[in-house]
Amino acid sequence: MKLQMQSIHFDADKRLLDFIQKKLDKLETFFDRIIDGEVFLRVENEGKENKHVHIKLNLPGTTVMTKEVGTTFEEAVDLAYDTLKRQLSKQKEKQTAH
């Protein structure tokens, strides 16, 4: 899956970007018609959970999105993965019902 990743107010290292790519590629097992996606990574200054991840996936005819917060980007991506997995499963059920 083609992902466009943007880190806002910091430079993400290659290891983090590879982790995100590998994790989100697994979503294609739940819904194989994902066109592309965008990932936004942001660090807030306040609090312990200051790593924000916003993921938007483009599907034929619709879009699924999630925003998650964690103490690390890996944790936030894992939470976003679970949310997107549920959304994609629902989307697949809708399409097979028609």
Side-chain angles (χ1 to χ4, degrees):
M1 166 186 359
K2 183 174 186 273
L3 288 176
Q4 180 181 1
M5 297 189 219
Q6 296 181 10
S7 51
I8 301 167
H9 301 303
F10 77 102
D11 291 326
D13 64 342
K14 176 131 177 65
R15 192 175 56 90
L16 174 62
L17 299 178
D18 289 343
F19 171 80
I20 295 169
Q21 181 72 50
K22 187 184 247 185
K23 187 76 170 180
L24 296 183
D25 280 343
K26 294 179 187 176
L27 289 173
E28 290 184 323
T29 60
F30 302 101
F31 191 87
D32 59 351
R33 297 178 55 199
I34 300 171
I35 299 169
D36 61 2
E38 297 177 39
V39 179
F40 298 96
L41 307 169
R42 193 175 79 231
V43 178
E44 295 291 327
N45 291 332
E46 309 88 35
K48 196 180 247 188
E49 291 193 346
N50 63 345
K51 309 292 192 290
H52 295 255
V53 175
H54 179 211
I55 301 174
K56 176 180 164 185
L57 298 178
N58 296 312
L59 311 176
T62 190
T63 302
V64 293
M65 298 196 286
T66 185
K67 292 181 184 177
E68 296 294 341
V69 179
T71 54
T72 65
F73 281 116
E74 288 83 359
E75 177 188 344
V77 169
D78 285 337
L79 293 171
Y81 172 82
D82 293 336
T83 303
L84 289 169
K85 185 168 71 168
R86 277 194 307 276
Q87 290 179 359
L88 291 172
S89 295
K90 284 183 185 178
Q91 194 65 33
K92 189 171 187 174
E93 286 176 18
K94 279 184 186 179
Q95 286 189 347
T96 56
H98 288 252

